[in-house]
Amino acid sequence: MSTVNRRVTLLAMAAVAVASPFAASAQAAGKTLLNVSYDVSREFYKDYNAAFAAYWKKTTGEVLTLNQSHGGSSKQARSVVEGLEADVITMNQANDIDILAERGGLVPADWAKRLPDNSAPTTSVSVILVRKGNPKNIRDWGDLGRPGVSVIIPNPKTSGNGRYTYLAAWGAALKNGVAPAAVKALVERIFANVPVLDGGGRGATTTFAQRNMGDALVTFECEVPLIQREFGGDFEVIYPAWTVLAENPVSVVDKVVDKHGTRVQAEAYLKYLWSDEGQEIAAKQHIRPRSAKVLAKYAKDFPKVNAFTVDEMFGGWKKAQKEHFDDGGFYDQIIVRTKK
Amino acid sequence: MFLSRTLLKRHSVLPGFDLALGFTLLYLGFIVLIPLSAAFLKTATMTWPAFVEAVSSPRVMASYRLTFGASALAALLNAFFGLIVAWVLVRYEFPFKRLVDALVDLPFALPTAVAGIALTALYAQNGWIGQMLPFKVSYTPIGVFVALTFIGLPFVVRTLQPVLEDLNHEVEEAAATLGANRWQTFTKVIFPVLTPALITGFALAFARALGEYGSVIFIAGNMPMVSEITPLLIITKLEQYDYQGATAIAVVMLVAAFSLLLAINGLQAWTRAKQGR
């Protein structure tokens, strides 16, 4: 899927590149912003860009061209590090923005402190999707580790969705009072029940919904409506007692906006994500808004959950990545043992 | 220039040798050597123990076995069936022959991800083919083999076709008049002529399979130690921004693939020489 997406993105970018000189001349030299984002935020930013462009035109009179590029999040971050001139970067994991500070100093190290809520205007949570009627009676993470249960999880090595799933199960076990020494064994039992490690979240969805594999699929809450729409309502969502809060951080890419002279526009673009309009667009896409007001308005779509952040439970993404997901980390130890 | 003038030029009857050779080297340098040498340079920044660690952990070794093994098997299967396909397409007339001929190129043209998704759907346990088979194909190493067979087929067929077309019917007729039976005609007369092309086709299909990522990734299941291909491990290293580790594995693959291709080319030259062509 990602290759196809990339091709489509490239085509779109090529089309934009060809079209933009004409667009620019027609619309009195407006500036252009490129938003480089992760794979499944496409629909959200499509709507948001239209809303922001209208807002910006109304308040300043300037016509902005907003381009978006989507793909696997680490892949996108690497492109920016290697020279893709993104004015803003919008990710679903803080370490994919940290890398811009570490390599080439494209953003300052304290980028997350520049905007409210850790610079994350929206969130989602990892939930469990089961087949209708919940025949295996799956209620919580622990049930996924039972013998005879099969669960589809995207590969934590290549997918942010997979990493959040793993951290959700790990953190929930700690929150539920499992002794730290026993947590690893518990997560290991869950991954021993994984028959396929798809490259990304959408691939795992296909495996679960279309290939009919597995009793459960772990994915983001915001993906559930799409799955229900595409594959019918043959699934039920299970909210575990504890889960992880997936924060979607955003940042201006300082080196690029200073070069393009687009800092004002880029900062406004990100700030508007916290506006009522921006938060509502997110809520409509089943992405959890930060605003209490908007959250209350859409309360039926967002059941109350107990969620911990990666920062409070694992001491930040950098530490979690190093301890759990880098080569030889806990995840490798677990997965190699379950498959030997 | 010195080299060309003293050693090579006197063999050449065509003008423009210096220019053509210079252009060839420059072109190959830009297109092939410079990008590849970047991989070697990146790897050179690693310490030796770190390099060994990166390229020989049990998980990486398991992926080499799968990638090289499945690629070789797929290329072998293609060499056998590709020969039959090429033979039928060249030697016989039948309805819709051109359509069938065009079908052979489809694996070239199809985006590999599309091929991967289609094959996975077909061979999954609830798929058309998968439900008829007594064993699992999708999400196992057999799935990897199936995907690599699919993408490799055109290489064998397209290298064999022109050689088969050039084959002189008179030689076969002569063999027959001299008392050879059909099997002898095939094994002693036709097959030796085809061997070099067959080896080339095998080598191309094999090399293509080694680097294949897009289609395999959907059907493999990607289980560590079981169905992880080497290109996937390169991607996972990149995901953790471990550029050195990724290029280290890439360099090993490159060297292995290059040695194998060199050996196959040598074999091909040897079979040609044996036939005195």
Side-chain angles (χ1 to χ4, degrees):
Chain A
M1 191 94 65
S2 66
T3 322
V4 177
N5 284 339
R6 203 167 55 224
R7 282 182 192 196
V8 172
T9 313
L10 279 175
L11 270 180
M13 281 165 62
V16 166
V18 171
S20 56
F22 305 102
S25 62
Q27 293 174 337
K31 300 240 177 193
T32 299
L33 290 185
L34 173 62
N35 175 4
V36 169
S37 194
Y38 56 101
D39 203 9
V40 298
S41 62
R42 192 173 286 105
E43 292 84 3
F44 169 66
Y45 279 108
K46 205 175 121 238
D47 291 355
Y48 177 76
N49 285 351
F52 178 74
Y55 158 81
W56 191 248
K57 180 150 192 268
K58 209 171 73 196
T59 48
T60 67
E62 184 187 11
V63 177
L64 269 183
T65 308
L66 299 164
N67 296 328
Q68 45 191 126
S69 156
H70 298 270
S73 54
S74 319
K75 208 182 310 161
Q76 292 288 82
R78 273 201 310 278
S79 312
V80 176
V81 168
E82 282 151 20
L84 177 62
E85 295 201 337
D87 299 274
V88 298
I89 183 158
T90 55
M91 288 284 138
N92 57 358
Q93 244 180 252
N95 55 338
D96 287 327
I97 301 186
D98 284 334
I99 196 76
L100 301 193
E102 284 160 28
R103 306 203 174 207
L106 291 160
V107 300
D110 64 345
W111 61 268
K113 299 205 171 67
R114 295 191 291 188
L115 286 163
D117 304 314
N118 251 336
S119 286
T122 57
T123 63
S124 194
V125 291
S126 288
V127 296
I128 306 170
L129 207 63
V130 296
R131 304 207 180 270
K132 198 160 195 79
N134 197 359
K136 293 279 172 95
N137 194 27
I138 292 160
R139 298 281 159 219
D140 210 340
W141 299 110
D143 296 326
L144 298 178
R146 280 199 321 243
V149 170
S150 157
V151 54
I152 307 295
I153 297 173
N155 195 344
K157 285 290 217 179
T158 52
S159 153
N161 198 330
R163 283 190 278 271
Y164 271 118
T165 301
Y166 168 100
L167 294 176
W170 189 288
L174 288 173
K175 283 281 189 188
N176 291 335
V178 176
V183 171
K184 195 170 150 193
L186 195 145
V187 178
E188 187 173 322
R189 279 201 293 280
I190 297 177
F191 277 87
N193 285 344
V194 178
V196 179
L197 287 165
D198 279 293
R202 293 271 161 98
T205 300
T206 312
T207 302
F208 176 72
Q210 210 160 41
R211 312 261 177 278
N212 231 352
M213 288 189 70
D215 304 303
L217 166 78
V218 185
T219 191
F220 292 129
E221 183 188 39
C222 54
E223 285 285 285
V224 173
L226 180 110
I227 299 171
Q228 307 269 29
R229 197 164 62 234
E230 293 293 320
F231 300 100
D234 297 339
F235 311 106
E236 287 175 24
V237 188
I238 305 293
Y239 284 87
W242 278 96
T243 187
V244 70
L245 192 71
E247 297 179 296
N248 305 324
V250 300
S251 178
V252 159
V253 184
D254 295 68
K255 273 204 173 161
V256 176
V257 292
D258 289 343
K259 185 178 157 197
H260 290 177
T262 48
R263 182 176 281 278
V264 179
Q265 291 84 347
E267 282 177 351
Y269 176 81
L270 293 185
K271 218 169 141 226
Y272 198 67
L273 285 166
W274 275 267
S275 70
D276 283 355
E277 189 181 17
Q279 296 277 294
E280 280 220 24
I281 293 171
K284 280 180 192 153
Q285 303 273 358
H286 296 262
I287 303 168
R288 290 191 175 228
R290 291 284 194 178
S291 149
K293 194 175 87 185
V294 178
L295 191 63
K297 190 173 162 189
Y298 290 86
K300 66 169 178 28
D301 290 333
F302 302 111
K304 220 177 135 12
V305 286
N306 295 314
F308 48 83
T309 65
V310 175
D311 282 358
E312 63 195 40
M313 187 58 83
F314 300 95
W317 262 111
K318 202 178 287 176
K319 190 154 168 271
Q321 174 71 34
K322 196 164 164 3
E323 282 178 4
H324 291 274
F325 304 116
D326 274 357
D327 281 355
F330 286 140
Y331 172 71
D332 273 357
Q333 297 168 19
I334 282 172
I335 198 73
V336 169
R337 194 154 52 227
T338 60
K339 301 303 162 200
K340 251 185 184 157
Chain B
M1 291 308 116
F2 172 75
L3 183 82
S4 65
R5 206 166 292 140
T6 53
L7 287 175
L8 302 166
K9 202 170 186 177
R10 58 196 151 116
H11 295 299
S12 174
V13 288
L14 287 171
F17 178 78
D18 285 343
L19 194 65
L21 180 71
F23 180 75
T24 304
L25 292 181
L26 189 73
Y27 187 75
L28 281 179
F30 270 114
I31 302 289
V32 179
L33 285 179
I34 290 180
L36 291 188
S37 57
F40 282 91
L41 284 177
K42 188 93 202 169
T43 316
T45 59
M46 293 177 93
T47 62
W48 180 249
F51 176 80
V52 172
E53 161 77 30
V55 301
S56 66
S57 73
R59 200 164 160 189
V60 179
M61 296 303 282
S63 83
Y64 295 146
R65 279 194 289 278
L66 175 65
T67 299
F68 284 92
S71 299
L73 282 180
L76 266 181
L77 188 78
N78 274 328
F80 181 73
F81 286 103
L83 173 61
I84 298 176
V85 172
W87 179 266
V88 168
L89 286 175
V90 171
R91 283 301 170 94
Y92 304 107
E93 287 302 324
F94 53 92
F96 304 112
K97 181 175 159 176
R98 288 194 179 253
L99 195 73
V100 175
D101 197 35
L103 274 180
V104 171
D105 280 334
L106 219 51
F108 269 147
L110 210 60
T112 51
V114 176
I117 293 167
L119 289 173
T120 312
L122 279 178
Y123 285 96
Q125 279 184 300
N126 64 351
W128 284 357
I129 301 178
Q131 60 189 346
M132 291 188 282
L133 295 172
F135 51 89
K136 278 176 74 176
V137 175
S138 282
Y139 314 119
T140 69
I142 305 172
V144 177
F145 167 73
V146 168
L148 295 181
T149 308
F150 175 83
I151 54 143
L153 176 73
F155 293 91
V156 175
V157 177
R158 290 295 180 240
T159 35
L160 280 175
Q161 266 177 327
V163 183
L164 275 169
E165 275 160 9
D166 280 353
L167 219 59
N168 246 331
H169 277 279
E170 287 113 43
V171 186
E172 287 161 56
E173 283 158 11
T177 53
L178 291 172
N181 62 30
R182 288 178 179 195
W183 180 244
Q184 282 171 326
T185 310
F186 180 75
T187 52
K188 300 258 159 75
V189 178
I190 299 171
F191 192 71
V193 183
L194 291 181
T195 313
L198 198 59
I199 294 173
T200 307
F202 171 84
L204 287 174
F206 176 69
R208 173 77 173 83
L210 284 183
E212 177 61 17
Y213 178 77
S215 62
V216 178
I217 221 63
F218 291 95
I219 202 169
N222 308 322
M223 282 317 202
M225 311 298 293
V226 180
S227 56
E228 271 185 331
I229 52 166
T230 310
L232 173 68
L233 289 179
I234 295 177
I235 299 277
T236 60
K237 295 233 182 248
L238 285 176
E239 289 285 314
Q240 35 186 288
Y241 302 104
D242 180 5
Y243 288 71
Q244 289 183 335
T247 42
I249 300 182
V251 160
V252 169
M253 276 203 88
L254 217 67
V255 170
F258 188 69
S259 328
L260 281 167
L261 289 177
L262 211 60
I264 293 170
N265 271 345
L267 183 68
Q268 199 223 39
W270 179 73
T271 51
R272 248 183 231 282
K274 219 177 80 174
Q275 295 165 25
R277 299 209 313 155

